[in-house]
Amino acid sequence: MFSDVSGLEVLTLVVMAIIIFGPDKLPKLIQDTMNVIRKIRSFADNAKEDIRSELGPEFKDFEFEDLNPKTFVRKQLMGDQDDPLGLKDMKDSLDIRSVLDDKPAAPVNGRSGSVSFEKSDPAPASAGAPLAPGERPPFDPDAT
């Protein structure tokens, strides 16, 4: 959370705290702040335990961090744990190149053909004469 705070900034904050609150009130302020942080943590832990107990025994291994989409994807698709949904088998069996090579491509706009991953020349313009080498295409300010 505070990984981008440098040492100079921390020192500045400490000096400002000493100036604002004074050296005699600062220890009491730090102690009160730590007590508030402990109470908030215990409240959050109790709330998590209450939610786990209300969900029942099916969710005894439930972790709130799993609700983060990045964590869920990492655990389910990358195989960090059991695979209850069968996603790992799907990932292993899916090879996009074999799918594209085995089936003929569906016609698009009345054209049939195959999909290629190789670089090709750009398609010619659909209207107008072809451009000469070095000639700039016409500019339409209403189209941009």
Side-chain angles (χ1 to χ4, degrees):
M1 182 173 160
F2 295 109
S3 61
D4 60 338
V5 178
S6 69
L8 183 62
E9 292 170 341
V10 171
L11 181 65
T12 304
L13 289 174
V14 168
V15 169
M16 286 178 55
I18 291 173
I19 291 172
I20 292 172
F21 298 109
D24 51 335
K25 293 183 182 177
L26 196 57
K28 174 74 172 137
L29 181 68
I30 292 172
Q31 187 178 29
D32 292 342
T33 304
M34 293 305 294
N35 286 336
V36 168
I37 290 173
R38 282 190 200 107
K39 286 181 183 178
I40 291 172
R41 278 190 187 156
S42 70
F43 176 73
D45 290 339
N46 289 338
K48 284 182 182 180
E49 290 303 318
D50 288 345
I51 290 172
R52 281 193 187 106
S53 67
E54 293 294 325
L55 287 175
E58 300 90 26
F59 296 97
K60 67 178 180 180
D61 297 330
F62 176 73
E63 292 295 328
F64 287 93
E65 290 81 21
D66 294 342
L67 296 176
N68 183 345
K70 288 182 182 178
T71 307
F72 177 79
V73 168
R74 186 178 304 118
K75 280 186 148 185
Q76 297 300 322
L77 295 180
M78 302 305 173
D80 288 347
Q81 68 173 20
D82 291 344
D83 192 14
L85 301 176
L87 296 176
K88 186 172 182 182
D89 295 334
M90 279 182 14
K91 181 190 88 157
D92 292 340
S93 67
L94 182 63
D95 181 17
I96 192 70
R97 291 211 184 255
S98 66
V99 170
L100 292 176
D101 291 339
D102 289 343
K103 295 181 183 176
V108 178
N109 294 338
R111 300 181 199 165
S112 62
S114 63
V115 176
S116 172
F117 291 104
E118 311 231 346
K119 273 192 162 179
S120 63
D121 293 332
S126 61
L131 298 175
E135 182 182 359
R136 293 179 60 148
F139 177 74
D140 184 7
D142 293 333
T144 57

